């Protein structure tokens, strides 16, 4: 167990050195580590199980096997390509959708404009419609390879919700089509681009690790409210902050948050 603990300390030290010399320990890199941890945490149980077998059998090869499993776990945390391309296998069209709820597991979500509400998913993603809610749920046990969801969204307004998982979300629209985005108990990397921000957007995150980039028209109003947790803001371009009917309203509580707002010309 001392060797395993020593390997863990070396791993942490390598991450810190990378942050100093290679500038690799960015927020996105931190999100990647947490995402891969959500996939491969059972290897920790296997490591402990093999080590307990060693305590009973007293065989050196069993001990080295436990060390090997733990090393594989650390390598996967760093090297697993959670944003890699994944083959889309299922395509469905829905009507009457008002809220899209993403739950469990980890996957990448691409949002785009379309004539109808169409969702395409890779293997390991379950889609279920209940009332006006569309639930998109990942399954860790069906497939460990990177999962992807592509959604074409017609004209109208929608809500997005993220719970209990690690998600990367990207979307480019001529005008904002979302009135509310919620993140609960998750790791979320969100990138949005709106040419028009006519519809006010309310963004709420709680108990989450969040990195959000919004490219919006110059002159867009915003307001950020934080109750607990850590928050950093990067504001670029001709944007102004106001708490009176802002077009972008961010409400954060209990987590680590980074907001990058960029006003385009």
């Amino acid at each position: 167990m001392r060797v395993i603990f020593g390997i863990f300390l070396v791993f942490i030290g390598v991450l810190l050195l990378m942050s100093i010399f290679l500038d690799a320990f960015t927020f996105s890199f931190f999100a990647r580590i947490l995402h891969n941890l959500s996939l491969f945490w059972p290897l920790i149980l296997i490591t402990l199980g093999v080590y307990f077998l060693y305590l009973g059998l007293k065989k050196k090869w069993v001990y080295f096997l436990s060390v090997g499993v733990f090393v594989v776990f650390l390598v996967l945390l760093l090297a697993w390509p959670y944003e890699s391309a994944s083959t889309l296998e299922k395509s469905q069209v829905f009507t009457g959708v008002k809220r899209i709820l993403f739950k469990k597991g980890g996957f990448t979500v691409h949002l785009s404009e379309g004539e109808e509400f169409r969702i395409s998913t890779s293997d390991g993603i379950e889609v279920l419609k209940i009332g006006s809610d569309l639930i998109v749920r990942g399954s860790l046990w069906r497939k460990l390879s990177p999962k992807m969801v592509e959604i074409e969204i017609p004209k109208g307004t929608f809500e997005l919700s993220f719970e209990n998982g690690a998600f990367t979300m990207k979307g480019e629209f001529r005008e904002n089509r979302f009135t509310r985005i919620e993140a609960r108990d998750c790791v979320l990397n969100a990138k949005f681009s709106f040419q028009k921000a006519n519809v006010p957007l309310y963004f709420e995150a709680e108990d989450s690790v969040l990195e959000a980039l919004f490219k919006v028209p110059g002159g867009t109003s915003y307001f950020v409210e934080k109750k607990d947790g850590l928050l950093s803001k990067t504001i670029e371009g001709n944007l102004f902050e106001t708490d009176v009917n802002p077009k972008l309203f961010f409400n954060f509580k209990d987590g680590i948050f980074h907001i990058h707002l960029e006003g385009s010309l």
Side-chain angles (χ1 to χ4, degrees):
M1 185 59 69
R2 292 180 180 177
V3 173
I4 294 176
F5 184 67
I7 293 174
F8 177 74
L9 291 180
V10 171
F11 177 77
I12 297 299
V14 169
L15 289 182
L16 294 177
L17 285 176
M18 291 173 67
S19 68
I20 297 173
F21 296 106
L22 300 179
D23 195 27
F25 197 63
T26 61
F27 195 98
S28 297
F29 183 75
F30 178 63
R32 176 195 186 101
I33 294 295
L34 290 181
H35 174 276
N36 291 343
L37 179 63
S38 72
L39 289 179
F40 298 111
W41 66 266
L43 287 175
I44 298 178
L45 299 181
I46 296 175
T47 299
L48 294 176
V50 175
Y51 179 75
F52 289 142
L53 288 176
Y54 160 75
L55 294 179
L57 299 175
K58 298 299 182 181
K59 301 289 186 179
K60 286 188 176 181
W61 69 267
V62 179
Y63 178 77
F64 289 121
L65 178 61
S66 68
V67 174
V69 172
F70 188 68
V71 170
V72 169
F73 168 71
L74 296 180
V75 171
L76 288 174
L77 286 187
L78 286 173
W80 190 256
Y82 83 101
E83 288 192 59
S84 296
S86 182
T87 303
L88 299 177
E89 301 182 355
K90 304 175 184 177
S91 180
Q92 298 173 287
V93 176
F94 294 91
T95 58
V97 175
K98 293 298 181 182
R99 185 175 73 143
I100 313 170
L101 175 60
F102 302 95
K103 300 183 64 173
K104 297 182 179 180
F107 44 86
T108 298
V109 181
H110 288 172
L111 303 173
S112 62
E113 297 176 333
E115 297 298 326
E116 55 188 2
F117 195 102
R118 179 182 298 274
I119 177 170
S120 303
T121 65
S122 59
D123 189 28
I125 301 290
E126 301 173 345
V127 180
L128 176 65
K129 187 174 183 292
I130 302 179
S132 62
D133 289 350
L134 186 70
I135 301 174
V136 184
R137 180 169 51 198
S139 174
L140 294 179
W141 310 111
R142 292 177 59 180
K143 190 176 182 182
L144 286 179
S145 63
K147 304 177 181 69
M148 181 177 293
V149 177
E150 291 187 357
I151 303 179
E152 297 179 16
I153 298 179
K155 290 183 178 180
T157 56
F158 302 87
E159 296 183 6
L160 301 177
S161 181
F162 298 85
E163 296 180 3
N164 302 318
F167 311 98
T168 297
M169 177 177 59
K170 301 178 181 179
E172 294 185 7
F173 296 88
R174 286 189 293 270
E175 59 184 32
N176 175 29
R177 297 186 180 181
F178 306 103
T179 58
R180 188 180 187 92
I181 300 177
E182 296 180 343
R184 294 281 189 278
D185 300 313
C186 68
V187 178
L188 176 61
N189 186 309
K191 297 179 181 179
F192 273 117
S193 177
F194 302 129
Q195 296 179 19
K196 297 181 180 179
N198 298 328
V199 179
L201 170 61
Y202 182 86
F203 197 125
E204 181 176 355
E206 184 175 354
D207 296 323
S208 298
V209 176
L210 169 70
E211 181 177 29
L213 168 62
F214 281 81
K215 294 184 178 180
V216 295
T220 301
S221 59
Y222 72 93
F223 186 75
V224 181
E225 182 176 87
K226 181 185 72 71
K227 296 181 180 178
D228 295 295
L230 301 176
L231 169 66
S232 67
K233 292 189 299 182
T234 302
I235 310 297
E236 297 182 12
N238 181 24
L239 303 177
F240 66 95
E241 185 172 10
T242 175
D243 59 352
V244 180
N245 299 323
K247 288 297 178 69
L248 296 174
F249 183 87
F250 299 91
N251 185 12
F252 300 132
K253 181 179 180 181
D254 296 327
I256 302 174
F257 313 105
H258 176 223
I259 294 297
H260 184 168
L261 303 181
E262 182 177 328
S264 58
L265 297 177

